[in-house]
């Protein structure tokens, strides 16, 4: 089923309990302005209420080419606060992704550049086609990486590789990104979205409350001490243990059958 959105550059389809949100502005390779970022945030929040998993996809030639430099960030005659767009739109978007109550998968083909690379890296599971590439292009135009790029990169590929990617602004091919641990699954281009859907359907049929708490634990752990992580796990485990999915999971294990989670 296809649903309408706040922005005609976004398209949403639902297949069972999986929502696919597609960046759909092929003429710009899905470059993003403030309105598109705000609309995407609202779409993700809405779909999280009706689905068990969300896939964020782009087009065949480009996942997202970054910020639209002919829009909000276009230099003018007066003083420009390029950080205002981050405060108003891009930062709230990635914060929303961080706190989604359902698993979030990115399906990347073609270019994932600038803030588009950050969106791609925000996935819990990052599926990529072999022709995909990541590009931190900011140094080419005299800006700094945004959308959480420095945070994502340093925690996935380490500080030295992150510095090289951000300072040299060179393309990182999908094969190398997979080798470095930046992405989790690598497929042929024409199989990316089908493979992402298969993974999403498995997650959507799983214990969605426990998966939501797992997301919370993992995001928090990236900025927490070991002791703080243990303390949070204790609180989250109490929550998960009080959910009917836990009782169903144990019953299924004891009865040697597949669990039927209610979500």
């Amino acid at each position: 089923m296809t649903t309408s959105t706040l922005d005609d550059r976004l398209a949403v389809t639902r297949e069972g309990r999986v929502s696919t949100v597609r960046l759909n502005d092929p003429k710009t390779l899905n470059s993003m302005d403030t309105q598109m970022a705000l609309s995407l945030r609202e779409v993700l929040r809405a779909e999280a209420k009706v689905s068990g998993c969300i896939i964020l996809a782009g087009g065949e030639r480009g996942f997202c080419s970054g910020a639209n430099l002919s829009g909000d960030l276009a230099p003018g005659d007066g003083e420009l606060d390029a950080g205002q767009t981050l405060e108003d739109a891009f930062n709230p978007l990635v914060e929303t992704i961080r706190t989604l109550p359902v698993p979030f998968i990115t399906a990347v083909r073609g270019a994932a550049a600038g803030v588009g690379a950050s969106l791609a890296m925000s996935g819990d599971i990052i599926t990529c086609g072999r022709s995909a590439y990541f590009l931190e292009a900011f140094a080419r135009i005299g800006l700094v990486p945004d959308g959480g790029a420095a945070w994502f990169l340093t925690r996935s590929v380490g500080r030295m590789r992150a510095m090289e990617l951000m300072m040299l602004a060179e393309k990182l091919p999908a094969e190398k990104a997979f080798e470095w641990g930046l992405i989790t699954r690598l497929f042929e281009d024409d199989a990316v979205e089908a493979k992402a859907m298969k993974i999403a359907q498995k997650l959507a049929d799983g214990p969605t409350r426990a998966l939501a708490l797992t997301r919370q634990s993992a995001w928090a752990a990236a900025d927490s001490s070991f002791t703080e992580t243990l303390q949070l796990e204790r609180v989250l485990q109490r929550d998960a243990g009080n959910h009917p999915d836990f009782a169903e999971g144990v019953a299924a294990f004891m009865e040697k059958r597949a669990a039927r989670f209610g979500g």
Side-chain angles (χ1 to χ4, degrees):
M1 179 179 67
T2 302
T3 65
S4 60
T5 71
L6 300 170
D7 192 314
D8 60 10
R9 295 169 295 176
L10 301 174
V12 178
T13 56
R14 296 180 189 147
E15 185 174 332
R17 298 190 66 242
V18 176
S19 293
T20 299
V21 179
R22 186 178 304 281
L23 308 177
N24 190 34
D25 189 20
K27 66 182 182 297
T28 69
L29 292 183
N30 300 321
S31 68
M32 187 167 294
D33 57 21
T34 296
Q35 184 54 54
M36 189 176 182
L38 291 172
S39 297
L40 177 57
R41 181 188 183 213
E42 292 308 309
V43 167
L44 292 175
R45 292 169 70 178
E47 292 305 307
K49 296 178 181 178
V50 297
S51 69
C53 185
I54 296 174
I55 299 171
L56 181 64
E60 293 182 10
R61 295 177 51 238
F63 175 76
C64 175
S65 60
N68 189 334
L69 297 178
S70 64
D72 309 279
L73 291 178
D77 296 330
E79 183 178 349
L80 171 70
D81 181 357
Q84 192 64 50
T85 301
L86 306 186
E87 183 178 343
D88 293 343
F90 292 156
N91 290 354
L93 171 58
V94 292
E95 286 284 3
T96 291
I97 290 172
R98 174 177 177 145
T99 58
L100 285 173
V102 296
F104 182 67
I105 297 173
T106 52
V108 183
R109 293 182 292 173
V115 73
S118 295
L119 288 176
M121 292 186 289
S122 69
D124 303 329
I125 296 174
I126 305 168
T127 63
C128 274
R130 293 189 183 276
S131 70
Y133 65 87
F134 293 79
L135 175 61
E136 298 296 334
F138 300 91
R140 297 183 181 184
I141 59 171
L143 289 178
V144 300
D146 59 30
W151 191 94
F152 288 125
L153 286 169
T154 54
R155 283 160 177 76
S156 58
V157 302
R159 183 183 67 86
M160 297 307 294
R161 283 174 170 167
M163 293 289 275
E164 179 174 317
L165 289 171
M166 293 186 289
M167 287 186 159
L168 296 182
E170 296 174 345
K171 291 181 181 179
L172 178 67
E175 295 270 5
K176 182 64 72 173
F178 182 66
E179 178 186 325
W180 283 5
L182 182 65
I183 65 177
T184 55
R185 301 290 179 100
L186 183 63
F187 303 111
E188 298 303 322
D189 291 337
D190 59 2
V192 172
E193 293 189 15
K195 294 291 189 180
M197 176 60 71
K198 186 173 182 180
I199 296 168
Q201 288 172 333
K202 178 179 180 179
L203 293 172
D205 290 338
T208 52
R209 179 57 184 166
L211 294 178
L213 297 174
T214 298
R215 291 190 89 243
Q216 183 180 342
S217 177
W219 278 98
D223 290 325
S224 303
S225 69
F226 182 63
T227 298
E228 289 170 334
T229 299
L230 292 178
Q231 292 170 343
L232 179 59
E233 287 174 351
R234 185 263 180 269
V235 174
L236 299 181
Q237 197 71 296
R238 178 184 60 199
D239 190 331
N242 284 325
H243 194 279
D245 278 349
F246 174 57
E248 166 58 17
V250 172
F253 176 79
M254 299 300 291
E255 297 167 15
K256 295 183 170 62
R257 58 173 175 81
R260 297 182 290 271
F261 295 116

